[in-house]
Amino acid sequence: MRIMAFDYGTKRIGIAVTDPLQIIATSLTTVHPEKIWEFLVNYIQQEPVETFVVGKPLQMDGTASESGQYVVGFVRRLKKTYPGINVVEIDERFTSKIASNAISQSGMKKGKRQQKELIDTVSATLILQTYLESRTF
């Protein structure tokens, strides 16, 4: 079964998944928040998901950020819609900045580097990688 991670935004949700052995985190896509539920139904019919990992937006001092309220609602609906799938929240404070830096250092052309969708999927991948590294076996 796979693990799926989300970098939730009000305009786009970056999504990343693991391979079935849960070893490698890979960028998947971005989806508009209004289409996420349809996307999940279709994806989960094809690939079983064991855990959802959601980036939790925090301020530098660790308190909830303004966008945190949207993530709370998203997590609540995930748990209600998919009660059999574990939901974990991970601190995402630096993921967008790290993603932007990684993309800019990748050698990609400037136009491609500035695509916000790319930053969102790379951020979701970083969130997923953080989760994978935090697990104890």
Side-chain angles (χ1 to χ4, degrees):
M1 285 211 234
R2 295 180 189 267
I3 300 170
M4 180 177 278
F6 304 96
D7 179 30
Y8 190 91
T10 56
K11 294 181 181 166
R12 284 173 308 281
I13 301 172
I15 304 171
V17 293
T18 63
D19 60 296
L21 297 175
Q22 301 178 0
I23 297 169
I24 300 166
T26 307
S27 296
L28 184 61
T29 190
T30 57
V31 177
H32 190 279
E34 291 176 5
K35 301 197 184 225
I36 187 64
W37 306 108
E38 178 184 346
F39 173 85
L40 287 174
V41 166
N42 293 329
Y43 186 88
I44 291 171
Q45 285 176 348
Q46 306 297 316
E47 298 286 343
V49 174
E50 174 183 297
T51 303
F52 291 131
V53 180
V54 181
K56 187 175 186 173
L58 300 171
Q59 304 279 3
M60 292 305 292
D61 65 3
T63 59
S65 72
E66 286 181 37
S67 59
Q69 65 183 339
Y70 301 106
V71 174
V72 168
F74 177 64
V75 167
R76 188 178 301 130
R77 186 160 173 196
L78 271 178
K79 289 178 178 178
K80 185 176 179 184
T81 307
Y82 298 100
I85 298 177
N86 188 31
V87 179
V88 177
E89 293 179 72
I90 294 283
D91 179 355
E92 67 161 38
R93 271 182 276 198
F94 302 106
T95 55
S96 292
K97 189 167 184 63
I98 293 167
S100 292
N101 289 341
I103 292 164
S104 68
Q105 292 173 7
S106 71
M108 243 180 246
K109 290 185 178 156
K110 188 174 182 181
K112 180 85 172 154
R113 288 194 323 244
Q114 290 177 332
Q115 290 181 2
K116 299 222 184 301
E117 292 86 0
L118 182 60
I119 293 171
D120 293 338
T121 58
V122 172
S123 293
T125 306
L126 290 168
I127 290 165
L128 184 52
Q129 190 64 45
T130 300
Y131 172 75
L132 292 174
E133 291 169 2
S134 73
R135 295 189 304 176
T136 52
F137 292 95

